[in-house]
Amino acid sequence: MQLTQHQAEAFARMPLTYLRQEYPNHIMHLLNDDGDVLPPRELHPIFYGCFDWHSAVHGYWLLLRCVRLYPDLACKSEITALFDEHLTQEKVAQEVAYFNAPFRASFERPYGYGWLLALAQELKHSSLPQTQGWHQVLEPLTQDIRVRLMDYLSKLTYPIRVGTHYNTAFALALALDYARALADRPLEQAILDAANRYYLADTNYPAHYEPGGDEYISGALTEALLMSKVTADFPAWFDAFLPDVASVSALMNPAEVSDRTDPKIAHLDGLNLSRAWCMKHIAKALPENHAGQKALNDAVKRHLAASVEHVVGSHYSGGHWLASFALLALE
């Protein structure tokens, strides 16, 4: 199953609507005084839509990615108008100021960091002529996040392996792609050092305990995805990490989604899609004759079949973010 232009158009229509939709809104907001009691649009003049900050960030990422994959996308002019409206120097300065207020060091760390850098990467390499200007406008926030990530890695003694926003490997996989695409050697080296420190010695990962009931990331597969970008001898590392991946039924079969209107249960559709994304890339990094090849490729099909058709038209619980994960899975 591959992404079609029809799907790209349908996926893009979702953030085109939701990036201007302020409510409902899940604010992860630390108040320093009464002056911080403000509506989402005033707290985050760019990333106020799509239910929460990080979903807004990867909503913008999705729009640019769809245009890059299909340059004649019918909604391209609407995408351009949205970016022109939101990416201004004043609004970026306000987003930066939010991060720099007291006691907000952990805001959106690390999930939002990874997606912001992915958005910056997409801006840098988009074929739209306006994107170089947008990239420069966003640069103060991009550089602020870049420095924050490097500082975080310097003091994060242990990786966070949960299947939700705090997962270390997911953010590092996105950030590593950014660092390499922009030839940012200091950031790349910081990520490589951290990944090796956290994961290189991992063996016999207990993937049979997955999934947790509200996860949208596989701790096992996201770590393997990252290490496929990091270690030179990935097949040997993978064989020690998941010695018989085909036998891990809980990992090879999609999660059951019992209620797609529940914001946490709906995470499991994202899990199925992010698993498919990870497994596709892991399989590409393994030899063609590797014992896990067939199991991984068959599992990709099952995971896509379980969730990809539930993205477009989905309840807002999943609709505000799932299209980005579907795009990753289908590319």
Side-chain angles (χ1 to χ4, degrees), residues 80-116:
T80 300
L82 179 73
F83 273 84
D84 279 337
E85 175 188 334
H86 286 83
L87 258 69
T88 68
Q89 290 182 346
E90 180 184 12
K91 291 179 179 180
V92 169
Q94 199 167 331
E95 294 281 357
V96 173
Y98 185 90
F99 276 88
N100 285 277
F103 298 105
R104 291 186 184 149
S106 64
F107 178 69
E108 288 291 348
R109 187 181 73 187
Y111 185 70
Y113 291 11
W115 276 119
L116 193 283

Side-chain angles (χ1 to χ4, degrees), residues 164-221:
T164 52
H165 307 83
Y166 302 104
N167 183 282
T168 305
F170 184 91
L172 293 190
L174 296 182
L176 182 58
D177 286 349
Y178 163 86
R180 286 174 170 167
L182 277 82
D184 186 337
R185 303 306 179 201
L187 178 59
E188 179 184 10
Q189 194 59 54
I191 294 169
L192 294 176
D193 291 345
N196 283 316
R197 187 168 73 247
Y198 298 146
Y199 306 119
L200 188 61
D202 281 2
T203 59
N204 294 299
Y205 194 90
H208 58 283
Y209 288 123
E210 296 187 20
D214 69 345
E215 293 183 335
Y216 61 90
I217 292 169
S218 163
L221 293 173

Side-chain angles (χ1 to χ4, degrees), residues 1 4 18 52 62 95 98 111 135 152 169 181 217-218 226 251 273 309 325:
M1 190 182 297
T4 66
Y18 298 148
D52 48 38
L62 178 147
E95 294 281 357
Y98 185 90
Y111 185 70
H135 180 269
Y152 179 54
I217 292 169
S218 163
L226 173 63
L251 198 63
L273 296 169
E309 295 302 324
F325 278 60

Side-chain angles (χ1 to χ4, degrees), residues 15 18-19 44 46-65 82-83 87 95 99 107-108 110-123 138 141-142 145 174 320-321 324:
Y18 298 148
L19 283 167
H44 299 293
I46 302 174
F47 305 116
Y48 62 85
C50 284
F51 193 72
D52 48 38
W53 193 90
H54 48 260
S55 299
V57 172
H58 65 69
Y60 286 101
W61 169 88
L62 178 147
L63 294 175
L64 290 177
R65 190 73 150 226
L82 179 73
F83 273 84
L87 258 69
E95 294 281 357
F99 276 88
F107 178 69
E108 288 291 348
Y111 185 70
Y113 291 11
W115 276 119
L116 193 283
L117 294 177
L119 171 59
Q121 177 186 346
E122 204 62 39
L123 283 166
L138 190 65
L141 181 58
T142 303
I145 293 297
L174 296 182
H320 73 274
W321 65 280
S324 296

Side-chain angles (χ1 to χ4, degrees), residues 296-313:
L296 288 166
N297 287 312
D298 287 348
V300 168
K301 297 173 186 176
R302 289 192 295 272
H303 281 78
L304 288 174
S307 289
V308 77
E309 295 302 324
H310 294 286
V311 175
V312 177

